[in-house]
Amino acid sequence: QHFKRWNTTYSDTNIGSSKGNVEEHEQLITDLLKFANNSIIEPVQREMSFRPRYKRLSVDESSFSPTDVINSTDNYLTANDFFMSKVLPVHWAQNGIDYLHDFMPYWTAILVVPFLTKIFFTIPVALISQRKQDKILPFIPIAMKDYRKAANKYRADREKFNILTDKIRAKYGFNPLYAQFRPLMVGIIQVPVHMTLYIAIRTMYSSFPDWKYGGVAWFGNLSIADPYWVLPVSVGSCMCLSFLNSMRFQKDNQMMLGGGAMSPGMLRVGFGVMSVVMIPIAHFWSAGFNLYMSANILSYMLQLTLIQNNQFRAFWGIKSTQFQFQCQKELREINMSESGKMKGDMEREQQFAHIQSKHERKRVVRVNNK
């Protein structure tokens, strides 16, 4: 109709009664209409596709209304809707999940991905970090003792404290304050991995529409939340099992949770509350991401069990867990002892502060009178 209106207007104003010009322009308009029919997507087709897809949908959705399609998935989200997708390999993760889908269903691929991530990335990084930590682990308690003494002695003189800290760093080859937190880097390195897979799973449907039908049983749709709360409860249960597994190693004197600052009873209560609170949070996630979280927690249990196994540690040239626990225990005792000394010194200073200030005022008066 647009071309027809343009043709009528243009013919009335410019073409006039010239029959040859009219035929020539009609032929041009006919060619343009043929090109338009081959190139323009109809509005109904554009509404049903929502955005470009990299794979064709294998399930017939012709019987579904557009409203049903929209409500049955969060397909209005793409990777570009997340800022971090511009720096994280989200599309690589989606392609990897889809590659596994060539050999297994999507829900099985999601369960396999965390274990592959732990085997090929997280566990090697943890082993490398632990071997580097073993080289300085026997010296951390001694260095920390010197550091805390310097902090107590020169807490009012920052310049002298920095000079002494540099000498301690030169003597031991590391900063004792930061060295005790090096193992936390393994957990920090995993944050980009979890963020990548969260965005990849959340936006999986936009690139692979079969994702919506990749589930099984009651969670056949991986793009929406589990309506029966079974998967969120499984996430909380897996988290509780992981905490119990960690408590088992602490009971056997193989590791010290929280640096030994909290009692086992407080840890159990804290872990139990976290497991319960995680259930309603997980209900806001899609079924696909709930599967990933459950598998990720179970794979972390496998990683922790391997890292705390002395035979596995000896195979990779890492010192035993008993040696690690003893060094952590010495470090904890030094920190508690020096903290008590600093607290006592500060209380004494506060107690005699008014006497010191009184004599200081008298001295200033004498100096001024002179």
Side-chain angles (χ1 to χ4, degrees):
Q1 294 178 356
H2 170 75
F3 290 106
K4 186 175 181 180
R5 289 196 300 269
W6 175 85
N7 180 31
T8 304
T9 305
Y10 187 81
S11 300
D12 294 341
T13 56
N14 296 310
I15 298 178
S17 60
S18 177
K19 183 177 179 180
N21 291 337
V22 172
E23 293 178 354
E24 181 180 348
H25 285 281
E26 285 182 351
Q27 182 63 35
L28 175 61
I29 293 170
T30 302
D31 295 338
L32 290 173
L33 287 173
K34 290 181 180 179
F35 176 79
N37 289 332
N38 295 331
S39 303
I40 297 177
I41 301 176
E42 294 296 330
V44 176
Q45 296 177 356
R46 186 166 61 249
E47 183 181 0
M48 290 299 295
S49 57
F50 295 103
R51 67 185 148 298
R53 294 171 176 170
Y54 299 102
K55 272 201 167 184
R56 189 179 299 277
L57 182 65
S58 61
V59 177
D60 185 16
E61 291 185 343
S62 60
S63 60
F64 299 160
S65 65
T67 303
D68 293 337
V69 174
I70 292 176
N71 293 335
S72 63
T73 180
D74 51 359
N75 59 355
Y76 44 84
L77 288 177
T78 65
N80 293 329
D81 294 325
F82 295 87
F83 171 77
M84 294 302 297
S85 64
K86 296 177 175 58
V87 295
L88 296 175
V90 175
H91 295 293
W92 290 7
Q94 290 180 341
N95 291 332
I97 295 173
D98 186 66
Y99 176 77
L100 294 176
H101 177 55
D102 294 339
F103 308 96
M104 61 189 72
Y106 271 129
W107 67 272
T108 308
I110 287 298
L111 295 176
V112 171
V113 165
F115 289 92
L116 295 179
T117 304
K118 293 293 187 297
I119 293 173
F120 293 106
F121 178 73
T122 308
I123 292 179
V125 170
L127 292 175
I128 294 172
S129 175
Q130 190 64 52
R131 293 187 65 173
K132 290 183 177 180
Q133 187 74 359
D134 281 349
K135 296 178 182 179
I136 64 174
L137 192 59
F139 307 102
I140 291 180
I142 305 173
M144 194 63 192
K145 187 175 183 179
D146 294 342
Y147 181 88
R148 295 302 297 268
K149 284 183 177 180
N152 290 346
K153 186 176 182 180
Y154 298 107
R155 62 178 176 274
D157 193 339
R158 190 68 182 178
E159 184 177 355
K160 291 183 179 180
F161 172 70
N162 291 335
I163 294 174
L164 193 57
T165 302
D166 293 338
K167 292 182 178 180
I168 294 174
R169 187 186 299 109
K171 178 182 178 180
Y172 295 101
F174 59 88
N175 190 324
L177 182 63
Y178 302 141
Q180 57 183 332
F181 299 110
R182 282 185 181 180
L184 298 178
M185 291 300 298
V186 179
I188 296 175
I189 290 175
Q190 298 181 55
V191 173
V193 177
H194 297 318
M195 291 182 64
T196 299
L197 289 170
Y198 171 75
I199 299 174
I201 294 173
R202 185 72 186 275
T203 62
M204 193 72 178
Y205 176 80
S206 63
S207 301
F208 305 96
D210 277 345
W211 173 259
K212 187 169 64 174
Y213 303 99
V216 68
W218 72 92
F219 57 95
N221 190 344
L222 295 177
S223 298
I224 60 175
D226 180 9
Y228 301 105
W229 288 65
V230 176
L231 295 180
V233 171
S234 68
V235 172
S237 301
C238 291
M239 184 171 289
C240 184
L241 288 175
S242 177
F243 291 151
L244 293 176
N245 186 50
S246 300
M247 292 295 297
R248 176 173 63 90
F249 291 120
Q250 173 160 314
K251 184 179 178 181
D252 296 337
N253 293 333
Q254 291 182 314
M255 65 183 297
M256 186 178 293
L257 296 175
M262 298 177 63
S263 63
M266 293 178 62
L267 289 173
R268 292 192 188 94
V269 173
F271 291 158
V273 171
M274 291 177 62
S275 300
V276 174
V277 171
M278 182 56 63
I279 295 176
I281 296 176
H283 183 63
F284 289 96
W285 299 333
S286 64
F289 192 72
N290 272 287
L291 287 175
Y292 167 77
M293 283 297 298
S294 298
N296 181 67
I297 296 172
L298 294 176
S299 63
Y300 172 74
M301 291 177 57
L302 173 63
Q303 171 190 333
L304 184 62
T305 303
L306 288 175
I307 295 297
Q308 296 300 320
N309 185 279
N310 286 328
Q311 295 180 351
F312 182 80
R313 296 169 70 93
F315 179 79
W316 294 103
I318 302 175
K319 295 182 180 179
S320 65
T321 55
Q322 286 75 18
F323 175 79
Q324 176 183 348
F325 180 82
Q326 185 63 30
C327 292
Q328 291 178 347
K329 186 177 180 181
E330 293 179 7
L331 180 61
R332 172 176 170 267
E333 292 175 353
I334 290 172
N335 286 329
M336 292 180 64
S337 175
E338 296 299 329
S339 296
K341 291 180 181 179
M342 178 178 286
K343 184 178 179 180
D345 292 343
M346 293 179 66
E347 289 178 353
R348 283 191 295 271
E349 287 182 359
Q350 188 176 5
Q351 182 180 358
F352 297 104
H354 65 284
I355 300 176
Q356 183 179 2
S357 61
K358 178 181 178 181
H359 289 283
E360 184 68 22
R361 288 194 300 270
K362 288 183 179 181
R363 188 183 69 82
V364 172
V365 170
R366 287 196 301 267
V367 172
N368 294 333
N369 291 336
K370 291 180 180 180

